[in-house]
Amino acid sequence: MSAQSPRYRRILLKLSGEALMGGDAYGINRQTIAGIVSEIKAIVDLGVQVGVVIGGGNIFRGVAPAARGMDRAQADYMGMLATVMNGLALHDAMRSAGMASRVQSALNIEQVVEPYIRAKAIRYLEQGRTVIFSGGTGNPFFTTDTAAALRGAEIGAEIVLKATKVD
Ligand code: UDP
């Protein structure tokens, strides 16, 4: 093994929605997402297989006032949908950077993203494609941190890394 060999073969990165905001109050900052993608690309280019669990806090923030007083499970489904929007944005930013990636969702919205299928996700990773896991766990009363631990274990990631707020 050369000194240049990566330490990990397969990793799971948890990217919070807030990491995508940059200096903005909510939403997705284009430059910020491009910067994050170039960092992920550098890791993939080393030969590391990368799975990404994406959060939704940045979009959910924008609708939080409406969600106040709302049925908890209903609000949580909105939060999960926010992660799908972020997943699509991340996928597109990866495409612009010349990366091969796939988005899966724990919630079935088949016209938009393919459903989460563990074996398929692993196959993509083996092919060197980055897999974006959206929709959290698919269950209300959970968070995308739980989804990261879950997907990390399911895909056999050697480490789960969490990126919260990136300057
Ligand atoms: N969420 C959920 N179940 C999950 C994952 C997420 O109900 O398995 C909802 C929950 O309302 C949460 C929102 O989606 O507040 C956004 O996820 P999270 O807060 O984990 O995003 P982050 O803070 O990482 O951006």
Side-chain angles (χ1 to χ4, degrees), residues 44-144:
V44 171
D45 287 346
L46 290 174
V48 180
Q49 299 174 14
V50 182
V52 181
V53 166
I54 184 83
N58 57 320
I59 293 172
F60 200 56
R61 248 191 207 198
V63 296
R68 211 165 288 138
M70 201 182 260
D71 174 71
R72 168 73 194 266
Q74 185 91 321
D76 280 346
Y77 279 112
M78 289 169 67
M80 287 183 263
L81 289 171
T83 72
V84 176
M85 290 176 65
N86 280 335
L88 292 172
L90 188 61
H91 177 66
D92 195 72
M94 286 181 172
R95 187 188 52 77
S96 298
M99 286 177 72
S101 72
R102 293 284 174 157
V103 197
Q104 294 195 340
S105 170
L107 291 175
N108 289 347
I109 326 174
E110 277 149 57
Q111 285 86 350
V112 185
V113 270
E114 63 179 79
Y116 169 66
I117 298 172
R118 175 177 169 268
K120 249 181 144 176
I122 290 174
R123 183 91 188 95
Y124 291 147
L125 291 168
E126 286 169 350
Q127 291 167 341
R129 291 164 161 160
T130 298
V131 182
I132 301 163
F133 298 105
S134 68
T137 62
N139 301 292
F141 305 103
F142 285 95
T143 67
T144 53

